[in-house]
Amino acid sequence: MMADKIRVLLNEEEVNKRISEIAAQISRDYEGKKVHLICILKGGVFFTCELAKRITVPVSLDFMSVSSYGSGTVSSGVVKIIKDLDEPLENEEVLIVEDIIDSGRTLAYLIEVLKQRNPKSIRLCTLLDKPERRVKKQVTVDYTCFTIPDEFVVGYGLDYDQKYRNLPYIGVIEQ
Ligand code: IMP
Ligand code: MG
């Protein structure tokens, strides 16, 4: 197997430092409340754990797995729920935790679906944002750790063909 060459974009220390800052901001914003984190599998799992450990208000966790419908290059924007949440969202202060917002199609659809379950509030937190790639302009991100250029990144939950999710940093595969 040929090893890919990976250039470090954001090292482990930088990522963890930034997650601590965002966790502190979330802890302030949700003072006196419980925050219900929804981890979007699989990519969001590393970020969700690191974030949750640093939030000081009460936290509950649930998990959801989604995939784009169809395999064409142009996504319809409709996502298929592979694994739904275990718990209802009624009266919850929901914070969706994603690895990356790219076109925004996944989140635009997901937010509409989750809103129908009557949460008290719904916000979005992402490790990475690639705003240059956004198609769904209505997706507003409440908490962003890093805004990055239009490059394909791996690590910290992000994969290339299911590989490299476990890298403790964020890197770019060199061509
Ligand atoms: P969106 O619906 O286009 O915003 O899709 C976001 C999803 O595409 C993410 O949850 C990732 O699974 C995947 N994705 C987008 N950009 C990257 C990348 O640079 N590396 C790895 N996965 C990516
Ligand atoms: Mg992926």
Side-chain angles (χ1 to χ4, degrees):
M1 195 187 92
M2 270 275 287
D4 295 301
K5 212 174 154 231
I6 297 171
R7 165 171 56 87
V8 177
L9 183 67
L10 297 159
N11 70 37
E12 187 173 8
E13 199 188 335
E14 288 174 280
V15 176
N16 290 341
K17 181 170 171 279
R18 182 66 183 141
I19 293 174
S20 294
E21 289 171 6
I22 292 291
Q25 196 186 330
I26 290 168
S27 303
R28 284 193 300 273
D29 293 352
Y30 288 84
E31 179 90 65
K33 296 173 183 167
K34 186 201 73 175
V35 59
H36 189 62
L37 302 181
I38 294 182
C39 170
I40 308 301
L41 298 170
K42 303 170 189 166
V45 77
F46 290 77
F47 176 41
T48 302
C49 293
E50 294 305 317
L51 185 71
K53 288 194 291 186
R54 292 165 171 88
I55 293 175
T56 56
V57 297
V59 163
S60 51
L61 279 173
D62 208 343
F63 299 85
M64 194 164 189
S65 182
V66 298
S67 85
S68 289
Y69 248 120
S71 54
T73 46
V74 182
S75 142
S76 60
V78 175
V79 300
K80 183 162 81 178
I81 297 175
I82 307 291
K83 183 223 170 292
D84 205 342
L85 299 169
D86 292 338
E87 310 291 339
L89 296 182
E90 196 92 27
N91 292 320
E92 295 288 356
E93 312 275 6
V94 168
L95 183 58
I96 301 172
V97 185
E98 252 287 33
D99 52 356
I100 190 164
I101 317 288
D102 188 41
S103 71
R105 285 192 180 98
T106 310
L107 262 299
Y109 183 79
L110 206 56
I111 287 169
E112 286 315 306
V113 168
L114 298 182
K115 267 184 185 165
Q116 287 163 23
R117 300 183 187 184
N118 300 316
K120 194 175 278 174
S121 66
I122 186 158
R123 286 184 183 165
L124 176 58
C125 178
T126 189
L127 179 61
L128 303 172
D129 188 6
K130 280 188 202 172
E132 286 169 45
R133 299 260 306 166
R134 194 79 85 256
V135 172
K136 294 287 179 183
K137 309 283 184 195
Q138 77 270 30
V139 174
T140 58
V141 190
D142 301 281
Y143 304 99
T144 303
C145 290
F146 300 97
T147 298
I148 60 164
D150 182 13
E151 287 187 294
F152 193 84
V153 291
V154 293
Y156 229 99
L158 292 137
D159 73 302
Y160 170 63
D161 262 354
Q162 299 303 323
K163 287 182 297 184
Y164 306 121
R165 290 193 197 276
N166 61 318
L167 294 179
Y169 56 87
I170 293 160
V172 178
I173 299 175
E174 301 271 42
Q175 293 305 313

